[in-house]
Amino acid sequence: MTTAQHDHAALDARAHDLDRAHVFHSWSAQGALDPMVVAGGLGCHVWDHAGNRYLDFSSQLVNVNIGHQHPAVVAAITEQAALLTTISPPTANLARGEAARRITDRAPAGMNKVFFTNGGADANENAVRMARLHTGRDKVVSTYRSYHGNTGSAVVATGDWRRVPNEYARGHVHVFGPYLYRSEFWATTAEEECERALTHLRRVIECEGPASIAAVLLETIPGTAGVLMPPPGYLAGVRRLCDAHGIVLILDEVMAGFGRTGEWFAFDAFDADQGGVRPDLITFAKGVNSGYVPVGGVVISDEIAADFDEAVFPGGLTYSGHPLAAASIVGALDAMESEGIVANAKRIGADVLGPGLQALAEEHPVVGEVRGTGVFWAIELVADEATREPVPAALIGRAKKEMLARGLLPFAADNRIHAVPPCVVTDDEAAQALSIYDDVLTILDEEIR
């Protein structure tokens, strides 16, 4: 080992040791952790101090849509830092206004205001608050297969296991959303799944009392729950149910928004034959600036925003519309527009990732289903094709280890591997990932035999 290699290895060891001594990690039993060290990144790659490189097919937490260290975003933050690093929310600031305009320019007509937050969880918190104040009602309906964040109401709106130890917020009701591969409704077609999921939602609304329900909160495409693509007509049907009962529709685009699906907003791709889907509130974070600075927000319909022309909105954050975050939004969205990054995500999904993953599904018995769009895909792994029994956690752990050994940084959840690279991923990088998936799935095929 050369002196330089020794020094780099020492930096990796120091980073690891400091982490284990002093950093408390989320969603983890602390004693068993062995985190990988990341020292730098560029585009779709990250590396440690020793120079070991990984193709990032996790986009970290499915948020680095524009890729690592994009020069336009770094420059926007740097220039703003030299001008003004922070200012309080009651002021007017050019970076904040420009960021809000770029977001509303891409939102549906009649949505002209943005409330900035620090991330996706508090975006959902404030959207729920707005819906309750707008309607004078309390209950929020969301799905069991969902994740909306780790704060008071957001984590209780969440449907997965993380809700259960945190149920301190009131007024939350859960339903099953559409998921044909594991249908709760004995459906055999997408049409049946859509109709029966909407009937289920309608009956829950009726039984809970429509006049008690403030909002239906949905991830447009549930992400961590499995990239669950809503069947045609489902989102439009939810919109009609909300309209019929005066219920606010909140679409959570925290993970799906700003390029991930090959659209600026994921709902733009659904139900055009039924007039499209216009939510009342849109929550966002992650892809709006690729996580370079913490930020999120709520895009507000003019009808709801008007409630607070005279009445005080009882909410706020010290860092709402922080200048560095706002500048990063401007830099990210301008670069995504000028460089065709959203269109690239759409093309990669249609021409490379989608066909490649479908081919893997046909070849490997361990793959039960692949689904997705753009650069937002899930590979669902099963121990038995007929029963669709999920593979055990140990096998997912083996898959992650094998992918890392081949230079691919994966995103795994439950019995799934999520193929979620940055929107700037190239054809060659996607092909490299598909080849690694192929190798690892071959190993898993042998394990389930």
Side-chain angles (χ1 to χ4, degrees), residues 179 181-182 225-226 357 360-371 377-403 410-419 436-438 440-445 447-448:
Y179 180 15
Y181 187 70
R182 299 189 182 279
L357 292 171
L360 293 178
E362 293 168 9
E363 181 180 350
H364 294 284
V366 74
V367 179
E369 182 179 62
V370 298
R371 52 187 176 263
W377 293 84
I379 309 166
E380 181 153 355
L381 304 181
V382 295
D384 186 286
E385 287 182 285
T387 65
R388 302 181 179 180
E389 175 191 353
V391 297
L395 210 58
I396 294 295
R398 171 80 186 277
K400 291 167 66 177
K401 181 179 179 181
E402 296 289 349
M403 285 184 279
F411 184 99
D414 296 329
N415 65 314
R416 301 176 305 275
I417 298 165
H418 291 201
I436 293 170
Y437 288 145
D438 191 16
V440 173
L441 292 171
T442 299
I443 294 170
L444 300 189
D445 286 340
E447 291 285 341
I448 66 169

Side-chain angles (χ1 to χ4, degrees), residues 344-358:
N344 183 69
K346 189 169 190 172
R347 182 192 62 79
I348 285 285
D351 296 348
V352 185
L353 271 182
L357 292 171
Q358 291 293 346

Side-chain angles (χ1 to χ4, degrees), residues 84-100:
L84 180 70
T85 53
T86 191
I87 197 70
S88 66
T91 62
N93 176 261
L94 183 59
R96 186 185 296 147
E98 294 285 8

Side-chain angles (χ1 to χ4, degrees), residues 64-293:
V64 186
N65 291 10
I66 205 169
H68 295 274
Q69 299 302 113
H70 192 290
V73 188
V74 173
I77 296 168
T78 302
E79 290 167 12
Q80 182 62 46
L83 179 65
L84 180 70
T85 53
T86 191
I87 197 70
S88 66
T91 62
N93 176 261
L94 183 59
R96 186 185 296 147
E98 294 285 8
R101 183 181 65 81
R102 280 160 174 77
I103 293 164
T104 58
D105 280 352
R106 294 171 171 89
M111 304 190 80
N112 292 295
K113 292 289 182 68
V114 176
F115 177 76
F116 286 109
T117 65
N118 299 326
D122 49 349
N124 284 317
E125 292 283 343
N126 281 282
V128 165
R129 179 180 296 170
M130 291 174 188
R132 285 172 165 164
L133 291 167
H134 179 69
T135 61
R137 304 171 181 177
D138 196 44
K139 293 178 185 173
V140 176
V141 179
S142 54
T143 64
Y144 283 108
R145 295 186 181 96
S146 67
Y147 180 69
H148 295 290
N150 182 39
T151 51
S153 290
V155 76
V156 183
T158 290
D160 69 26
W161 67 271
R162 289 169 284 191
R163 177 190 85 251
V164 179
N166 292 297
E167 289 183 307
Y168 303 112
R170 69 174 196 271
H172 289 270
V173 178
H174 290 84
V175 297
F176 288 105
Y179 180 15
L180 182 59
Y181 187 70
R182 299 189 182 279
S183 177
E184 302 290 342
F185 310 112
W186 299 278
T188 58
T189 67
E191 293 78 13
E192 287 180 347
E193 184 75 357
C194 177
E195 179 184 2
R196 295 173 188 184
L198 286 172
T199 298
H200 168 60
L201 175 59
R202 176 178 61 80
R203 287 295 295 131
V204 170
I205 289 172
E206 290 170 349
C207 292
E208 289 292 331
S212 73
I213 298 172
V216 171
L217 168 60
L218 300 177
E219 290 177 274
T220 307
I221 300 174
T224 308
V227 191
L228 305 178
M229 301 294 290
Y234 179 73
L235 292 174
V238 175
R239 174 74 273 180
R240 288 192 295 271
L241 280 171
C242 289
D243 288 342
H245 299 293
I247 297 169
V248 170
L249 175 58
I250 306 170
L251 289 185
D252 178 341
E253 293 259 340
V254 170
M255 188 175 284
F258 294 100
R260 176 63 45 192
T261 66
E263 307 285 348
W264 286 108
F265 289 108
F267 59 77
D268 288 337
F270 292 97
D271 301 340
D273 61 330
Q274 300 182 47
V277 181
R278 178 190 180 272
D280 301 298
L281 299 167
I282 306 166
T283 58
F284 66 87
K286 293 185 183 284
V288 74
N289 72 337
S290 292
Y292 283 36
V293 179

Side-chain angles (χ1 to χ4, degrees), residues 52-70:
N52 298 303
R53 291 174 63 88
Y54 301 90
L55 178 58
D56 187 357
F57 255 58
S58 70
S59 295
Q60 297 307 293
L61 283 177
V62 200
N63 64 322
V64 186
N65 291 10
I66 205 169
H68 295 274
Q69 299 302 113
H70 192 290

